[in-house]
């Protein structure tokens, strides 16, 4: 009999739950809005109702499901099962998530921060399949990541490892949300790309970005593709920063794969082509041509499959 688990993915805008087998097939699923502003109590109730709903779906043998995996926006205290104070879950301060879930659903639960869970999901079921080590980056509103070494999440001291978005690339660069100047996230996240483009526009240079009004990183990518010089320059710089970050990761860890997900990867070949060239140019001491730099493969299922992988590895 194959192991089947209940996976729960808690995000700032939506809650998702699924029944997942060991092979990564999602047998049942459900999704509801988080409505985080209603506070932890109401959201916890919604999580439990969503989980019960999924467990009760036709074809699900609820009695055969003995484990729950939870991925949640960090920071979390994994050992104590607490949600600490995630920026996108306002008012959630040291919420005893695991205890509440275990009591309500009468099964043991394991908690992991969502970036680590996503890394493990890609490793087990996605772009990392067949490898023994992987570094995962997600580049969207922020830049997060997770490190898998010898098949397991590398948590580091007090679960602090994997914060790839917060390596310093420019000593006196723009101040990052973490407080440090010049982090990768402060240079290459979606909002940072748009900010750098606005700064370039403020010098008075011509660009079609001006007509785009309240533009986003996606507009920068689109106009770069269409040949707008300023947008192309901002995008090239973005790829350079990401390349520096990935090159540092490859030089230190020599992972078998680097997997990149998040909204910014919608740029496709406009990102991956020049990024691979930049990384190859920078890395001298690792067999970098043997390190594939791949787009994430799980798409919107990464939350559920990541949480499932966490439960299955527990
Ligand atoms: Zn930072």
């Amino acid at each position: 009999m194959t192991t089947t688990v209940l996976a729960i993915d808690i995000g700032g805008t939506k809650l998702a739950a699924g029944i997942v087998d060991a092979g990564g097939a999602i047998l049942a699923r459900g999704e509801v809005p988080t409505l985080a502003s209603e506070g932890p109590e109401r959201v916890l109730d919604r999580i439990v109702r969503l989980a019960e709903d999924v467990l009760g779906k036709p074809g699900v043998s609820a009695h055969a499901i003995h484990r729950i995996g939870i991925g949640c926006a960090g920071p979390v205290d994994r050992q104590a099962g607490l949600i600490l104070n995630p920026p996108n879950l306002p008012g959630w301060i040291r919420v005893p998530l695991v205890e509440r879930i275990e009591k309500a659903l009468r099964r043991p639960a394991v908690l992991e921060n969502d970036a680590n869970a996503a890394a493990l999901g890609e490793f087990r079921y996605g772009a990392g399949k067949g490898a023994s080590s992987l570094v995962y980056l997600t580049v969207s509103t922020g830049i997060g990541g997770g490190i898998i070494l010898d098949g397991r999440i590398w948590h580091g001291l007090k679960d602090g490892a994997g914060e790839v978005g917060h390596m310093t690339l420019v000593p006196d660069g723009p101040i990052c949300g973490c407080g440090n100047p010049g982090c990768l996230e402060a240079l290459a996240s979606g909002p940072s790309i748009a900010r750098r483009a606005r700064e370039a526009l403020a010098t008075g240079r011509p660009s079609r970005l001006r007509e785009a009004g309240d533009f986003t990183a996606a507009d920068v990518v689109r106009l770069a593709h269409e040949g707008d010089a300023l947008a192309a320059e901002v995008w090239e710089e973005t790829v350079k920063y990401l390349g520096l970050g990935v090159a540092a990761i490859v030089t230190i860890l020599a992972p078998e794969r680097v997997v990149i997900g998040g909204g910014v990867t919608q740029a496709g070949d406009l990102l991956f082509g020049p990024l691979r060239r930049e990384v190859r140019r920078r890395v001298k001491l690792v067999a970098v041509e043997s390190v594939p730099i791949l787009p994430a493969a799980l798409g919107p299922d990464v939350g559920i499959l990541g949480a499932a992988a966490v439960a299955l590895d527990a």
Side-chain angles (χ1 to χ4, degrees), residues 95-111:
V95 173
L97 179 72
V98 166
E99 191 192 309
R100 293 286 300 267
I101 297 278
E102 287 185 336
K103 206 180 248 173
L105 298 172
R106 297 172 305 278
R107 294 166 176 84
V110 274
L111 173 65

Side-chain angles (χ1 to χ4, degrees), residues 165-166 176 178 183:
H166 300 283
C176 180
C178 77
C183 287

Side-chain angles (χ1 to χ4, degrees), residues 5-9 68-71 110 117-118 121 302-312:
V5 297
L6 169 63
I8 300 174
D9 176 36
I68 305 170
I70 311 168
V110 274
V302 69
I304 283 182
L305 290 175
V310 167
L312 287 160

Side-chain angles (χ1 to χ4, degrees), residues 148-209:
I148 309 292
L149 298 178
D150 294 332
R152 306 201 70 87
I153 296 171
W154 175 256
H155 288 100
L157 178 67
K158 297 194 176 182
D159 292 350
E163 291 292 352
V164 293
H166 300 283
M167 64 174 100
T168 305
L169 294 185
V170 178
D172 300 307
I175 304 290
C176 180
C178 77
N180 176 60
C183 287
L184 175 61
E185 177 172 299
L187 297 159
S189 68
S192 306
I193 296 168
R195 194 206 61 241
R196 283 194 294 102
R198 271 188 206 98
E199 285 165 7
L201 272 184
T203 65
R205 286 176 54 191
S207 167
R208 284 174 51 211
L209 275 171

